């Protein structure tokens, strides 16, 4: 059985997770020489997008993590380089579904080294899209970015819109947080 650490400020949710973990039997086939890993469980129950930063900047980023968070926070974390070792669950997941999904996800993690084998961890932004979001994240307006890059405001708006679509975000705030998480700033 892997070592499981639970992080979060919501003590009610934490207690619920601990109770569920005590109820389910994680029967995982280990090879003789395989090391039993550590798995961290993070509960990000606050509404503010900046609440994902303690998770993103955690001291042991390579430890596989299960994260309970809002849909907005999931959009920030999906597709990032940490995505392969992070399993995301919504805060509203039912106990029955969680009990069913957790053993499957942990077995996939141990067999493949990542939770989701079908997700591509790379985000493909063009050079101009990266430059555009970098300038925007520094607080420049689209008009100022257009001046700096010698492009039209319409072109800058198109790069921003395309970047948001490729990064899977739906607001300026989410875009700025995703840029920070990806280290594009």
């Amino acid at each position: 059985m892997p070592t499981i650490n639970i992080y979060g400020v919501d003590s009610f949710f934490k207690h619920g997770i601990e109770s569920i973990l005590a109820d389910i039997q994680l029967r995982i086939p280990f090879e003789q020489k395989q090391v039993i890993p550590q798995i961290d469980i993070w509960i990000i129950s606050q509404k503010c997008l900046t609440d994902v930063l303690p998770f993103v900047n955690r001291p042991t980023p390579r430890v596989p993590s299960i994260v309970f968070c809002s849909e907005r926070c999931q959009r920030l974390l999906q597709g990032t380089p940490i995505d392969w070792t992070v399993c995301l669950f919504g805060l509203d997941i039912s106990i029955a579904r969680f009990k069913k999904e957790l053993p499957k996800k942990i077995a996939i993690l141990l067999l493949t080294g990542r939770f989701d084998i079908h997700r591509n961890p790379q985000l493909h932004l063009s050079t101009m899209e990266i430059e555009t979001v970098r300038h925007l994240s520094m607080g420049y307006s689209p008009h100022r970015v257009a001046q700096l890059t010698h492009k039209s405001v319409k072109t800058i708006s198109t790069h921003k819109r395309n970047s948001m679509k490729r990064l899977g975000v739906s607001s300026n705030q989410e875009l700025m947080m995703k840029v920070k998480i990806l280290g594009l700033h």
Side-chain angles (χ1 to χ4, degrees):
M1 172 113 169
T3 303
I4 298 177
N5 300 311
I6 303 175
Y7 302 94
V9 295
D10 188 332
S11 58
F12 181 74
F13 205 108
K14 260 174 102 169
H15 179 70
I17 296 297
E18 289 168 349
S19 298
I20 291 169
L21 290 173
D23 283 350
I24 59 176
Q25 296 291 325
L26 295 177
R27 292 186 197 98
I28 302 165
F30 289 104
E31 293 178 12
Q32 292 286 348
K33 297 178 183 177
Q34 186 176 6
V35 177
I36 300 173
Q38 171 183 329
I39 296 176
D40 290 345
I41 297 179
W42 288 76
I43 302 162
I44 306 172
S45 57
Q46 294 83 355
K47 304 261 188 229
C48 185
L49 291 179
T50 57
D51 291 327
V52 301
L53 292 178
F55 169 73
V56 170
N57 298 323
R58 64 197 186 278
T60 52
R62 297 193 192 280
V63 172
S65 302
I66 296 168
V67 179
F68 292 91
C69 60
S70 68
E71 186 178 320
R72 290 180 76 198
C73 291
Q74 287 183 40
R75 283 195 302 266
L76 289 177
L77 296 173
Q78 287 174 337
T80 61
I82 60 171
D83 198 21
W84 274 13
T85 58
V86 175
C87 180
L88 301 172
F89 287 106
L91 291 170
D92 59 348
I93 189 169
S94 70
I95 293 171
R97 183 164 175 233
F98 178 68
K99 284 181 176 181
K100 183 179 175 184
E101 292 293 319
L102 183 64
K104 290 180 196 176
K105 295 289 186 182
I106 291 177
I108 290 171
L109 170 70
L110 294 174
L111 292 172
T112 65
R114 54 189 188 261
F115 278 112
D116 190 344
I117 59 174
H118 303 293
R119 188 173 295 156
N120 182 356
Q122 299 297 322
L123 298 170
H124 300 287
L125 296 180
S126 70
T127 304
M128 192 61 213
E129 288 167 344
I130 291 171
E131 185 177 355
T132 298
V133 296
R134 187 174 289 142
H135 285 302
L136 291 170
S137 73
M138 291 188 288
Y140 294 132
S141 70
H143 292 284
R144 181 67 181 134
V145 176
Q147 290 173 339
L148 291 170
T149 60
H150 307 289
K151 306 284 184 196
S152 70
V153 174
K154 186 174 180 179
T155 299
I156 296 304
S157 295
T158 300
H159 288 310
K160 177 184 168 193
R161 183 176 57 250
N162 290 343
S163 298
M164 290 176 72
K165 185 176 179 180
R166 289 182 182 178
L167 295 175
V169 297
S170 61
S171 70
N172 288 335
Q173 183 185 22
E174 288 180 19
L175 177 63
M176 295 305 109
M177 285 298 301
K178 189 85 165 211
V179 167
K180 184 174 181 70
I181 288 170
L182 292 171
L184 299 175
H185 57 288

